[in-house]
Amino acid sequence: LQRHGSARVGAVALVDQSPRVITDDDWRCGLFGGCSAAMLEGLIDGARRDLAATVLAQVDAAAGDWLRRRLAPQAWLGRRVRQWIGRVDAAPLLDLAQSLVAADFRATLARLDVPLLVVLGARSAHYAGVPLDAWYRGAVPHAQVSVYARAGHSPHVSEPLRFARELQAFLDDHA
């Protein structure tokens, strides 16, 4: 859309995504409501060196003592999770994350001339408490914004039937 416009696009759907993931003094609707470029690049670099350690450090920061003990390196679950993560080829995902450091789609979305469906998870680990719904409603007045109260970052996974119904209705109306 940013490079080629919307001439060949019937409609757009976004799932729990900010138009700019990096935050600064002028933009507070990025990751966690406060993730600078340096912070995200540090996470990506850490994940490239040791994905399991980086992922588990993030979980540990949010986890309570019960989960923290079970994910310790010497604990059975901690060993299994590290083995499983060790088999994941995260390079494509990390390359995508790296591209998002510089990405800023706010102006593109603000001038979007096709229907837009935005689905947000109210309990998203990435955007909970961030007023993305208000930003989308203000910047793209024709956007249909749905907030899933019980969903995290993947509302299409946690509430698949509702998501499928809303997406189908949106496509029926616009695509």
Side-chain angles (χ1 to χ4, degrees), residues 3 21 27 29 46 51-52 59-60 66 77 80 94 107 112-113 117 120 124 130 140 159 166-167:
R3 287 185 186 157
V21 299
W27 179 250
C29 291
L51 179 63
V59 171
D60 186 63
W66 182 88
L77 181 60
R80 295 300 174 263
L94 295 172
L112 189 66
D113 59 353
L117 170 65
L120 302 170
S124 172
V130 175
V140 190
E159 295 188 51
E166 286 187 9
L167 182 60

Side-chain angles (χ1 to χ4, degrees), residues 36-97:
S36 68
M39 289 170 61
L40 184 54
E41 287 171 345
L43 282 171
I44 294 166
D45 289 344
R48 288 190 194 282
R49 286 190 307 277
D50 188 341
L51 179 63
T54 302
V55 169
L56 289 171
Q58 296 303 307
V59 171
D60 186 63
D65 288 337
W66 182 88
L67 183 58
R68 189 173 291 118
R69 285 191 306 271
R70 282 155 181 78
L71 291 176
Q74 69 279 9
W76 179 87
L77 181 60
R79 289 192 311 273
R80 295 300 174 263
V81 168
R82 283 169 178 76
Q83 288 172 347
W84 177 76
I85 292 173
R87 291 191 298 264
V88 172
D89 177 13
L93 181 59
L94 295 172
D95 291 345
L96 174 63

Side-chain angles (χ1 to χ4, degrees), residues 19 106-107 109-112 116 133-143:
R106 292 175 291 178
L109 288 168
R111 66 176 180 269
L112 189 66
L116 174 64
D133 56 334
W135 184 85
Y136 279 110
R137 285 184 178 102
V140 190
H142 66 275

